[in-house]
Amino acid sequence: MAKKLVIKVTAGADAPERCSQAFTVAAVAVASGIEVSLWLTGESSWFALPGRAAEFELPHAAPLPDLLESILAAGSVTLCTQCAARRGITQKDTVEGVRIAGAQVFVSEIMSDNVQALVY
């Protein structure tokens, strides 16, 4: 079994089911004791901002703010550098605990031993 799970979520409100699946899998993995690194890219980048997860709605899905909170509490959340720049998001704008990093850090994470990477 992988010791770490790296999840890249590329979807936001534009593809709510895919977005919710990524956050749900990350939160379940964290609750199961697996080390989790969640990457926010593309339209999911907006969830790095305070209050934006609360605007997300999907029937029969766990509330996104709760999922994000649990991931931040026991895992890591990273906002893609280029995605942040394209949206005018800076580190001071983000939810506490979210870091901004780029492709080099992502590649380093997924190429480590005992890592499973998923992209949604």
Side-chain angles (χ1 to χ4, degrees), residues 17-31:
E17 288 182 311
R18 190 162 29 115
C19 175
S20 180
Q21 289 170 2
F23 278 86
T24 300
V25 168
V28 168
V30 163

Side-chain angles (χ1 to χ4, degrees), residues 20-69:
S20 180
Q21 289 170 2
F23 278 86
T24 300
V25 168
V28 168
V30 163
S32 300
I34 297 170
E35 182 182 356
V36 173
S37 174
L38 179 70
W39 282 72
L40 304 175
T41 68
E43 286 304 298
S44 72
S45 299
W46 296 113
F47 300 126
L49 297 175
R52 292 302 285 266
E55 297 173 7
F56 182 87
E57 291 185 19
L58 181 63
H60 310 292
L64 203 62
D66 296 348
L67 298 173
L68 181 58
E69 183 180 324

Side-chain angles (χ1 to χ4, degrees), residues 50-120:
R52 292 302 285 266
E55 297 173 7
F56 182 87
E57 291 185 19
L58 181 63
H60 310 292
L64 203 62
D66 296 348
L67 298 173
L68 181 58
E69 183 180 324
S70 68
I71 299 162
L72 281 167
S76 67
V77 178
T78 305
L79 171 59
C80 162
T81 302
Q82 290 182 13
C83 300
R86 280 190 282 275
R87 290 160 178 81
I89 301 171
T90 65
Q91 187 66 63
K92 67 177 176 55
D93 301 320
T94 64
V95 170
E96 186 176 342
V98 173
R99 71 176 175 166
I100 297 178
Q104 180 181 4
V105 175
F106 179 77
V107 170
S108 175
E109 281 191 22
I110 65 169
M111 295 308 295
S112 298
D113 291 337
N114 297 314
V115 172
Q116 174 67 51
L118 301 173
V119 178
Y120 285 89

